[in-house]
C-alpha cells in the first residue's frame, strides 16, 4: 500500500467552526489531491497540489482552502464548516515527477466529517 | 463536459463466474483510465491503469480493456471469489483531473 495517512479519521464539528484535515505521505510523490465522496455524486476533486506551495482548484473548491508547505503534507481547511460539507474526504497522491496524467493515483483511508 | 457511466449499478453472482464490468465515457480525449476497488468504509485501491495509447492491461485475474473511439472500458474478472465483493469504480483522466463513475457494487456469493 502507498504510504498515505489521513488525520483525523473521524470528526464531528459544529456549523461555523474551522476544521483542518491532514494528509501525510511517505512516498515523496509530487502530486497530492483532496476529494470528497458523497452518495449520488461519487468522488469529486476539491483541490490539488503539484509541488510545495503550488496548488490549484478542483471541481468543488468553494468553502475550502489548502496548503502545502512540505512535500509530505497537504492540509485541507474548511474555514467555516457548513452542513453541506458533511462528507467523506479522501487524499490521493501520484507521480514522482513529470506529467500528472501519466500516473496512477493512490488513495488514503479517508476522513469521515460530520458537521452538525 | 465529460461524464462517466458504469453499468450495472449492482451485480450479484455465484462464486467461480467470469464477469464483465462496464464503463463508458462521453469524451474520447482522455489521457488514461483507472480502475479502482472500494471496500465498505475504506479508501480506494488502484487495480489497473490504462494509458490512452494502450488497449488493455492485466493483473492476475483482472483484465481491463480500453476503446477510446467508442468511449468504453471493460473490467474482466476471471473465476470470481467472495473476496472480490466490493464496489468497482472507473475514472478517466480528462484535461486536468480524474472524473469518476458512480461504481458497480459487486457481490460474489459462495
Amino acid at each position: 500500500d502507498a504510504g498515505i495517512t489521513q488525520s483525523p479519521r473521524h470528526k464531528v464539528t459544529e456549523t461555523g467552526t474551522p476544521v483542518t484535515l491532514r494528509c501525510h505521505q511517505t512516498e515523496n510523490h509530487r502530486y497530492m489531491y483532496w476529494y470528497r465522496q458523497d452518495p449520488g455524486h461519487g468522488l469529486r476533486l476539491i483541490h490539488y497540489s503539484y509541488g510545495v506551495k503550488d496548488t490549484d482548484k478542483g471541481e468543488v473548491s468553494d468553502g475550502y482552502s489548502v496548503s502545502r508547505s512540505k512535500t509530505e503534507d497537504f492540509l485541507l481547511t474548511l474555514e467555516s464548516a457548513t452542513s453541506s460539507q458533511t462528507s467523506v474526504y479522501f487524499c490521493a497522491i501520484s507521480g514522482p515527477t513529470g506529467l500528472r496524467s501519466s500516473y496512477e493515483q493512490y488513495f488514503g483511508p479517508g476522513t469521515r466529517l460530520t458537521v452538525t | 463536459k465529460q461524464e462517466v457511466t458504469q453499468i450495472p449499478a449492482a451485480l450479484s453472482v455465484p462464486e467461480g463466474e467470469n464477469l464483465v464490468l462496464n464503463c463508458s465515457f462521453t469524451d474520447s480525449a482522455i489521457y488514461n483510465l483507472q480502475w479502482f476497488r472500494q471496500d465498505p468504509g475504506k479508501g480506494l485501491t488502484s487495480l489497473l491503469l490504462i494509458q490512452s495509447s494502450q488497449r488493455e492491461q492485466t493483473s492476475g485475474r483482472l483484465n481491463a480493456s480500453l476503446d477510446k473511439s467508442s468511449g468504453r472500458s471493460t473490467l474482466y474478472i476471471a473465476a470470481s471469489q467472495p473476496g472480490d465483493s466490493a464496489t468497482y469504480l472507473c475514472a478517466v483522466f480528462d484535461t486536468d483531473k480524474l472524473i469518476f463513475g458512480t461504481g458497480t457494487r459487486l457481490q460474489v456469493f459462495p
Side-chain angles (χ1 to χ4, degrees), chain B residues 76-94:
Chain B
Y76 176 82
I77 303 177
S80 58
Q81 304 170 357
D84 294 331
S85 298
T87 295
Y88 290 80
L89 298 162
C90 73
V92 299
F93 199 103
D94 178 332

Side-chain angles (χ1 to χ4, degrees), chain B residues 28-93:
Chain B
S28 62
I30 63 171
Y31 289 94
N32 63 48
L33 185 145
Q34 198 168 350
W35 281 94
F36 296 90
R37 167 190 174 133
Q38 186 174 30
D39 294 287
K42 305 288 187 182
L44 280 69
T45 300
S46 179
L47 298 174
L48 290 162
L49 172 73
I50 310 177
Q51 300 289 355
S52 61
S53 58
Q54 297 175 319
R55 295 300 297 261
E56 66 179 277
Q57 282 284 346
T58 299
S59 176
R61 295 184 292 109
L62 306 179
N63 176 275
S65 66
L66 175 63
D67 184 343
K68 275 184 54 177
S69 61
S70 67
R72 293 175 186 265
S73 176
T74 60
L75 179 67
Y76 176 82
I77 303 177
S80 58
Q81 304 170 357
D84 294 331
S85 298
T87 295
Y88 290 80
L89 298 162
C90 73
V92 299
F93 199 103

Side-chain angles (χ1 to χ4, degrees), chain A residues 7-87:
Chain A
S7 59
R9 294 293 314 280
H10 301 270
K11 186 170 183 66
V12 180
T13 191
E14 293 185 349
T15 299
T17 59
V19 177
T20 295
L21 308 182
R22 179 181 183 236
C23 177
H24 178 77
Q25 60 147 328
T26 57
E27 304 296 322
N28 200 35
H29 277 18
R30 177 180 179 184
Y31 302 104
M32 299 185 76
Y33 311 82
W34 278 107
Y35 292 88
R36 60 180 290 175
Q37 185 175 34
D38 304 288
H41 291 279
L43 277 130
R44 293 176 292 173
L45 181 66
I46 305 171
H47 281 280
Y48 66 94
S49 169
Y50 44 96
V52 173
K53 299 191 189 306
D54 291 324
T55 65
D56 207 346
K57 295 179 179 181
E59 183 182 356
V60 289
S61 59
D62 288 348
Y64 302 95
S65 62
V66 290
S67 66
R68 191 171 178 196
S69 58
K70 297 186 291 185
T71 299
E72 58 266 34
D73 290 325
F74 193 32
L75 304 181
L76 176 71
T77 297
L78 290 66
E79 300 291 346
S80 178
T82 68
S83 58
S84 65
Q85 294 175 312
T86 293
S87 187

